[in-house]
Amino acid sequence: MFRYFPTNYVWNLSVDLAIEMGARIGEIETMCAPLHEAAKQPDAEGTRAFREAWVHMADRLCELAEEDEACGRLLSAGEKYKRASVYLITCERMLAHDSPGRVELYKRLLDTFEKGTRLAGDNCERVEVPYGDGHLSGLLVRAKGAAERAPLLVQVNGLDSTKEMKYFVGLPSWLAERGVSSLVIDQPGTGEALRLHDMHAVYDSERWASSIVDWLETRTDVDPKRIGMEGVSLGGYYCPRAVAFEPRFACGVVWGANHDWRDVQKKRLQREGDFPVPHYWKHVCWVWGAKDIDDFMQIAENVHLDGVLDRIRVPFLVTHGEKDTQIPLAWAQRTYDQLVNSPKRELKIFTEREGGAQHASFDNSINAGHYIADWVAEVLGGRTHL
């Protein structure tokens, strides 16, 4: 794990995630070198300084991109806009939900991401999936060289990630090379669903997952018999739950098991385990629509997989980092052990040898991500070679 701020796990996590999304080390040095003292300050003060530094770099890149556009150099402009959106994603994620200007910052990162991927010619289309009286926003990445109806992997966020973050880390592009499409979704409690539409997380993830499958079944470019699901971090709870109660999914993958999130919360009340974001308790109350911590802890009582996983009768891959300090490794074993009716279950622990040993492989995602992409391609009928 790269530790730019030796005493601050949350800030190190943010920097490492930015690197995994494509940040450049020289720009990281420019942004972070002045922040060592701020990293020791209380959440509100420290994150304010973090935001200012990272927004300033995004501003600089957007100015350079505009200069490229004026010269007709759209590919160069697109790359700079994409990297600017990485820096906006990183600092927006660090803010308290009620921080002044957060919604405006979030809307800016969406616009910057869209402009960057469009000018760069990325294989990425924004889509909207009907859900209730509204919609869930997603990014569709199409399989390369696939038949008319391609297999597809639905990918969902954890507690504090977004569809743009998951797109940049790379699993959709790795799958596309293997003949598998991707739909990366901001499900309730994350991304646009939470920030712009006030949709809070729900423990019965099949509620929104079934709507996603309904929509995918209407598309002529998706094979309805080959739709899988992957979840990262807290998605390691959402995904198994959804696959258990939505039998149309053809497989499941967790990138970081999260078998008993209620227990994790009880431990965190005792200051056990690392927090993923500053102002953690305010954040989880916001995500789940809780009035206060007591209300949140009541909601969290439902967020576990005991008594659920024996319903799964499709292939399932459980992955976990050997040195995960957020979610104990034992929960990955528990998930695997309870997949008693899966015809092809696998437990893969990522170690320092291959990288990705930290939580959800944020320390080094590429080898772990390729392992997942290969497994999905083999199960859903993609390819693992040219």
Side-chain angles (χ1 to χ4, degrees), residues 142-337:
R142 290 180 171 82
K144 295 182 179 180
E148 183 177 345
R149 287 184 176 270
L152 179 142
L153 187 70
V154 177
Q155 294 149 54
V156 300
N157 295 314
L159 176 70
D160 53 284
S161 58
T162 66
K163 63 186 184 301
E164 293 78 20
M165 182 183 296
K166 285 181 66 63
Y167 173 80
F168 276 134
V169 168
L171 183 57
S173 64
W174 302 331
L175 285 168
E177 294 290 344
R178 291 162 171 81
V180 179
S181 297
S182 294
L183 177 63
V184 193
I185 283 285
D186 280 339
Q187 78 269 18
T190 70
E192 291 185 51
L194 178 66
R195 290 160 173 79
L196 302 184
H197 304 295
D198 209 30
M199 293 183 189
H200 300 288
V202 293
Y203 80 91
D204 48 346
S205 53
E206 67 274 13
R207 193 191 313 180
W208 46 261
S210 292
S211 294
I212 294 170
V213 178
D214 289 343
W215 180 77
L216 288 171
E217 288 186 333
T218 69
R219 297 187 61 92
T220 59
D221 56 350
V222 176
D223 184 343
K225 301 298 184 183
R226 294 189 290 163
I227 298 172
M229 188 177 197
E230 175 267 348
V232 65
S233 190
L234 184 53
Y237 163 79
Y238 293 131
C239 170
R241 168 83 196 199
V243 173
F245 286 93
E246 175 44 79
R248 290 176 292 175
F249 282 115
C251 71
V253 180
V254 296
W255 198 343
N258 221 321
H259 188 93
D260 195 335
W261 202 62
R262 61 180 175 179
D263 183 77
V264 172
Q265 305 320 300
K266 292 172 183 176
K267 295 292 196 303
R268 284 178 175 167
L269 282 174
Q270 301 165 19
R271 301 296 300 179
E272 294 182 26
D274 289 318
F275 290 165
V277 291
H279 46 79
Y280 178 77
W281 296 110
K282 288 178 65 176
H283 185 81
V284 293
C285 287
W286 176 45
V287 167
W288 291 89
K291 300 188 298 293
D292 51 33
I293 294 178
D294 288 340
D295 186 32
F296 164 71
M297 292 303 294
Q298 285 295 114
I299 294 171
E301 282 296 316
N302 290 313
V303 189
H304 67 89
L305 296 169
D306 288 335
V308 168
L309 299 180
D310 61 347
R311 299 173 62 100
I312 293 177
R313 287 174 164 76
V314 295
F316 208 100
L317 173 62
V318 180
T319 78
H320 209 79
E322 183 181 47
K323 296 193 172 182
D324 191 328
T325 58
Q326 290 191 40
I327 307 296
L329 179 57
W331 291 126
Q333 185 68 53
R334 181 81 163 261
T335 294
Y336 173 80
D337 288 344

Side-chain angles (χ1 to χ4, degrees), residues 62-80:
C62 287
E63 290 174 4
L64 292 170
E66 289 169 0
E67 293 172 12
D68 287 336
E69 282 190 274
C71 297
R73 298 170 176 169
L74 302 187
L75 292 174
S76 294
E79 179 59 35
K80 292 182 180 68

